[in-house]
Amino acid sequence: MTLAKLPPEFDKSRVWLEVINEVDKNRADWLGRFGCRIAELALQQGYKVALFGFSSGEPEPEHWREPGMVDFLHIAAANPDRVAVALHEYTLDRDKTLQEADRWWIGRYVELLIVTDDLGLDNPTILITEFGWAQDWAPAPMSGMPQLHWANDTYYGPDRIPTALWWLGGGFSWQDAIPKLVEYMNENETDPWEPGDIDPPPPDDSLENVLWSAGMEAQTVQLNTSAALQTAITAHDGYVPTGSETRTKHGGKTYAVQSAGALDGRPPH
């Protein structure tokens, strides 16, 4: 079923397939056996697969030692270019930087390396396929970029672990900084990052920008179907709320603000 959905231009020699995502950690033995079978199929058919997409903070260290999981780790260790372990790591805390986050959230992959060392196995290829701060929040680029440089040194240093950042689009304030981020990551693996590498945006105290900023800061969704603003967003404009209703002031007036996104490709609202 997965292969049937791949586009014709899919390059199986270069692209990893992550066939399951955020699974039940308490089924580690079964998942390991499932991973062995998926890896066997991938090796037979020339694909690259990454398993298991564990949620941030999972699995528990002892889950890597379940018999089925140990069998999978043997296959992954023997085939580092074709079979990988996929993990997610987030801070899940707006008050902590990536550097300050508990190691059980950021850097938890080390628990897997401890197990493979104990088993006498080569380190498997590890892909952090979701990485960052929170599902619905990211800091401003000027505070986030130094954190990403630290992550680049930490993850893509001696252990060479690629990370996929979540999530800098969909209303966050990173859109203009993304080209600079790409340029920096392509050219600098270990050179120190300085704040001057990204020019801060000019101050904008227009009503439109104040409302936009307030909406983007309230991106934990709490729905209220009787609220007039939410009714206008959903029924009139055809958008889906992506944040809670909040209040902000501009020019001596108080405004109700709520961020929203469209499912049809229209820009955030």
Side-chain angles (χ1 to χ4, degrees), residues 29 32 34 45 61 65 82 89 96 117-118 123 133 138 145 180 184-185 194 197 221 229 264:
D29 180 56
F34 173 83
Q45 300 177 40
R65 300 180 187 273
R82 301 282 299 282
E89 295 196 359
K96 290 186 177 181
D117 285 347
D118 288 347
N123 292 339
W133 295 275
M145 272 296 294
K180 190 71 174 181
Y184 165 76
M185 297 301 287
E194 299 295 339
D197 287 351
V221 183
L229 183 56
D264 57 6

Side-chain angles (χ1 to χ4, degrees), residues 5-258:
K5 295 179 180 179
L6 297 180
E9 65 273 18
F10 184 86
D11 186 347
K12 65 182 181 180
S13 68
R14 300 184 63 182
V15 182
W16 293 90
L17 280 174
E18 189 174 4
V19 297
I20 55 177
N21 187 62
E22 299 198 341
V23 291
D24 182 359
K25 64 178 183 178
N26 296 310
R27 302 178 67 187
D29 180 56
W30 185 92
L31 286 167
R33 298 181 189 282
F34 173 83
C36 289
R37 180 58 177 150
I38 292 294
E40 179 183 329
L41 293 172
L43 292 170
Q44 290 173 355
Q45 300 177 40
Y47 287 89
K48 299 161 71 80
V49 289
L51 295 133
F52 301 84
F54 281 114
S55 299
S56 187
E58 297 183 357
E60 303 306 324
E62 62 268 20
H63 290 153
W64 295 117
R65 300 180 187 273
E66 292 287 333
M69 196 63 74
V70 170
D71 289 345
F72 172 79
L73 292 178
H74 275 83
I75 296 176
N79 299 276
D81 295 331
R82 301 282 299 282
V83 180
V85 176
L87 303 171
H88 298 171
E89 295 196 359
Y90 294 96
T91 65
L92 299 182
D93 188 339
R94 297 190 183 195
D95 295 326
K96 290 186 177 181
T97 64
L98 297 176
Q99 298 96 311
E100 296 168 339
D102 192 290
R103 191 174 60 84
W104 291 108
W105 298 107
I106 296 291
R108 190 183 179 93
Y109 71 88
V110 172
E111 295 299 321
L112 170 57
L113 301 182
I114 291 173
V115 172
T116 54
D117 285 347
D118 288 347
L119 295 173
L121 298 174
D122 291 336
N123 292 339
T125 295
I126 299 175
L127 308 176
I128 309 297
T129 53
E130 291 186 25
F131 175 80
W133 295 275
Q135 178 183 359
D136 57 358
W137 179 84
M142 288 302 293
S143 61
M145 272 296 294
Q147 298 180 49
L148 294 184
H149 174 70
W150 170 86
N152 188 47
D153 285 351
T154 301
Y155 285 80
Y156 212 62
D159 295 328
R160 309 296 285 182
I161 296 177
T163 60
L165 198 58
W166 181 287
W167 160 243
L168 302 183
F172 291 151
S173 58
W174 281 78
Q175 285 90 337
D176 293 338
I178 286 176
K180 190 71 174 181
L181 173 63
V182 172
E183 177 185 348
Y184 165 76
M185 297 301 287
N186 283 337
E187 295 180 356
N188 302 278
E189 290 190 355
T190 58
D191 293 340
W193 182 83
E194 299 295 339
D197 287 351
I198 287 187
D199 296 328
D204 183 355
D205 60 356
S206 65
L207 174 60
E208 179 181 5
N209 188 64
V210 168
L211 297 181
W212 176 268
S213 299
M216 291 304 100
E217 291 173 358
Q219 288 209 327
T220 299
V221 183
Q222 295 178 349
L223 301 181
N224 179 2
T225 56
S226 63
L229 183 56
Q230 183 173 313
T231 299
I233 290 172
T234 56
H236 182 267
D237 292 348
Y239 280 73
V240 177
T242 59
S244 303
E245 183 175 321
T246 188
R247 297 289 189 276
T248 191
K249 290 186 177 181
H250 184 270
K253 295 182 179 180
T254 299
Y255 295 85
V257 186
Q258 189 168 14

